[in-house]
Amino acid sequence: MSYLKRMATVLIAIVWLPSITANAMDYKQFEFLGTKNRVTGFATLGYSKIDEDNIQYLGYEEDGDYKPSTRIGIQLDTFVTDNFKITSQLVSRGFSVDGEEDIDLEWFYGVYNLNTEWKVQFGRVRTRRFIYSESLEVGYSYHWIRPPVATYYTGSYPVSNADAIDLQNEGTWRDFDYKLSLGIGTREFEVELSDTLDYSVDIEKIYSLSLNVSYDWLTWMFTAARGDITLSSDPLNTVLIPIALRTEPEFAAINEKLTAEDEVTVYVSTGISIDHSNWLVDIEWTDQSTDSEILNEVRTWHVSAAYQWNDFIPYIGFGNQDVRYGGDVSQEIADTFNTVLPRSLGDPFINGSRDILIGFTDRKSDVDILFAGIRYDFAKSLALKLEWNRVKYSGEVVSDI
C-alpha cells in the first residue's frame, strides 16, 4: 500500500438493506429441522475516485473503481430454543486489508440467555471497538458512506472480530439503559504490508471490557482491551539481500527487531452519539499503545455533525490519525546497511531492499481528514449517498477536487 502524499476522494454509493421480503424492517422466517430461522441481508454498491495518480489509499485509485466501497452480506439467525440462538453472517467485500477479495465469515456465534439480564456469547464475534461496531458493514444504518476513516480505518491491525467468549449484562438503572460486556478471546489473520512483505498476526489473551450507556437522546460508549501480539515473518528473506549476508550478526538483529513475540498492546476508546431533534452528532476517540519497537501506536479522533431534513441528511466532519512507533528501528536498519554493505550501496537491488525495510519501519504520520456528504433516502430500504474527503498528510497541502 502506497503512503498518501496528496489525496482527495469522491465516493458515491447506493446502500440497500434488503431481506427476502425486500423491507428493511421485515424479514423472512422459515423452519428447518424443527428450528425457527430468520434471514436478513444488506448491500452497498459504491464508486470511488482519487484525484492523484500513482496513489492507493484504502483501495481508492485515480482511475476510479467500485470495489473499495462495495460489499454485500447475508445473516442467518437460528433460534434453537427460547434461550439459545446461533447467528452467522457472511460478508463479501471489494477491498480488504489483506488484499483478498473473497467472502469472509464475519460472525458465527451462539448466545445463551441465562436470565432476562445476563447472557453468554461465544464464537466468532464482533469486537466492540466503536459506537458503530455492530453495524459496521451495514451502510444503511448510518449516514456516511463508511464510518469516519480517521478512526475506523487506521491501517493498524484490523481486529474487527475475534474468537471469544463474552459475558453480557443488559438492563436499566433509573433512567439509564446500559449494556456491559466482559470478554476473553484470540485472533489470527494475515496482513499484506507490501508486494514483498507479509505478516502472520496472532493475538492471544485478548481481555476486553465494554460499556454502553444510553439516556434519552444521548449514548456513551467506552472500551478497554489488551492482547499479546505475535508477528510471524522472515522479513529479510522477502527482500533482495544477498543470501550470504543474511547470517551476518547485524542483519540477524534486524530480523529479530522486525518481528514481535507476545508483545502487549493496550487499546482504549470512548465516544458519544447525540440524536436530538433533527441533529445527529458523533464524537469518538481511540488510543492504541505498546512497548514494542515494531508495533505501531495509533491515536485517532473524529467529530461529525448531520441534520435530517425530510429524506435528506447532509453532514460534515473532521478527523485526525496520528501513527507512531515506540522505537527507531529504521535508523538502525540504515546504519546496518552503511556498516555491513558500504561498497554495495550503489547496487539498485540492495538499495531497494534497504528502502523497503526503512519504509516499513519509518511510518510515522499525522493525517487530517475533512469530509462532507449527503444521504438521500429515495425509496423504501434504499439510500443514495455522495461523499467527499480531503486528506492532509503530515502537513502537506492537498489539492481540491
Side-chain angles (χ1 to χ4, degrees):
M1 182 180 65
S2 300
Y3 283 97
L4 183 60
K5 294 298 183 184
R6 297 174 61 194
M7 176 198 132
T9 62
V10 161
L11 306 95
I12 302 174
I14 295 177
V15 292
W16 181 32
L17 188 63
S19 66
I20 301 301
T21 58
N23 187 303
M25 302 306 296
D26 296 335
Y27 49 83
K28 179 66 176 179
Q29 284 198 153
F30 63 93
E31 290 194 7
F32 180 71
L33 297 179
T35 63
K36 293 182 180 180
N37 299 270
R38 180 176 65 195
V39 178
T40 55
F42 53 88
T44 297
L45 175 62
Y47 176 82
S48 59
K49 180 179 175 62
I50 289 181
D51 72 335
E52 294 290 336
D53 197 6
N54 300 321
I55 292 293
Q56 287 189 0
Y57 183 70
L58 295 177
Y60 303 146
E61 297 182 354
E62 193 268 343
D63 291 336
D65 198 354
Y66 70 91
K67 291 182 180 179
S69 299
T70 296
R71 57 192 176 275
I72 186 170
I74 187 169
Q75 180 171 316
L76 172 66
D77 295 298
T78 300
F79 300 88
V80 182
T81 68
D82 291 339
N83 293 324
F84 182 51
K85 179 185 75 170
I86 298 175
T87 296
S88 57
Q89 183 186 99
L90 294 174
V91 178
S92 177
R93 303 178 184 86
F95 167 78
S96 61
V97 175
D98 60 11
E100 299 294 330
E101 299 173 8
D102 51 9
I103 299 175
D104 295 324
L105 182 63
E106 197 73 14
W107 294 355
F108 186 63
Y109 62 83
V111 177
Y112 184 78
N113 296 319
L114 301 174
N115 52 43
T116 58
E117 294 183 349
W118 290 92
K119 60 184 178 182
V120 177
Q121 183 184 57
F122 54 91
R124 173 64 58 84
V125 302
R126 172 76 74 190
T127 55
R128 297 173 180 84
R129 300 174 60 191
F130 313 108
I131 292 177
Y132 293 91
S133 286
E134 295 189 3
S135 61
L136 184 61
E137 308 291 348
V138 186
Y140 195 86
S141 66
Y142 41 77
H143 47 278
W144 313 287
I145 283 185
R146 58 170 64 187
V149 171
T151 301
Y152 281 71
Y153 302 87
T154 64
S156 181
Y157 302 114
V159 190
S160 61
N161 50 39
D163 301 318
I165 180 169
D166 287 345
L167 179 63
Q168 300 176 7
N169 177 247
E170 295 184 58
T172 300
W173 180 74
R174 296 184 178 178
D175 294 328
F176 296 89
D177 297 322
Y178 68 88
K179 182 176 182 179
L180 174 67
S181 176
L182 302 172
I184 180 173
T186 63
R187 184 73 168 99
E188 295 182 9
F189 53 91
E190 302 286 332
V191 175
E192 180 181 324
L193 296 171
S194 70
D195 293 337
T196 60
L197 190 55
D198 299 335
Y199 270 101
S200 297
V201 183
D202 183 10
I203 310 178
E204 297 182 340
K205 299 178 182 178
I206 303 176
Y207 302 120
S208 63
L209 178 151
S210 65
L211 177 63
N212 188 291
V213 180
S214 298
Y215 175 78
D216 196 9
W217 44 264
L218 178 65
T219 298
W220 172 70
M221 177 277 301
F222 173 80
T223 294
R226 56 88 63 203
D228 294 342
I229 298 183
T230 297
L231 301 182
S232 302
S233 183
D234 190 1
L236 294 186
N237 287 333
T238 64
V239 296
L240 301 173
I241 295 177
I243 295 176
L245 293 173
R246 292 176 186 165
T247 58
E248 292 284 343
E250 292 86 353
F251 282 112
I254 288 179
N255 212 34
E256 184 176 347
K257 287 181 177 294
L258 290 175
T259 59
E261 183 174 359
D262 294 332
E263 299 284 0
V264 176
T265 296
V266 177
Y267 177 86
V268 178
S269 65
T270 188
I272 60 172
S273 180
I274 298 172
D275 186 352
H276 184 60
S277 185
N278 292 334
W279 286 97
L280 303 170
V281 178
D282 291 279
I283 303 172
E284 293 191 63
W285 175 90
T286 74
D287 183 83
Q288 177 179 297
S289 60
T290 179
D291 292 332
S292 171
E293 290 187 315
I294 191 62
L295 297 176
N296 52 337
E297 297 185 320
V298 184
R299 179 171 296 167
T300 73
W301 61 268
H302 75 261
V303 178
S304 176
Y307 185 83
Q308 185 167 6
W309 177 62
N310 296 326
D311 294 328
F312 295 89
I313 305 178
Y315 59 90
I316 189 171
F318 182 83
N320 175 265
Q321 182 184 117
D322 181 22
V323 181
R324 58 204 182 281
Y325 284 82
D328 193 7
V329 181
S330 61
Q331 185 59 51
E332 295 183 35
I333 291 173
D335 293 342
T336 299
F337 271 86
N338 292 333
T339 301
V340 180
L341 299 172
R343 297 180 180 178
S344 303
L345 289 179
D347 188 318
F349 295 104
I350 293 179
N351 282 338
S353 301
R354 179 192 59 188
D355 293 342
I356 288 173
L357 293 175
I358 291 177
F360 167 56
T361 57
D362 187 21
R363 293 185 292 163
K364 300 178 179 66
S365 63
D366 187 7
V367 182
D368 293 329
I369 303 177
L370 175 67
F371 57 91
I374 189 168
R375 167 177 172 154
Y376 171 46
D377 292 287
F378 65 93
K380 190 174 184 179
S381 303
L382 286 167
L384 173 66
K385 302 179 183 181
L386 173 66
E387 183 174 310
W388 167 81
N389 287 250
R390 186 185 184 194
V391 179
K392 188 176 182 180
Y393 182 86
S394 297
E396 292 193 11
V397 177
V398 179
S399 59
D400 291 324
I401 182 168

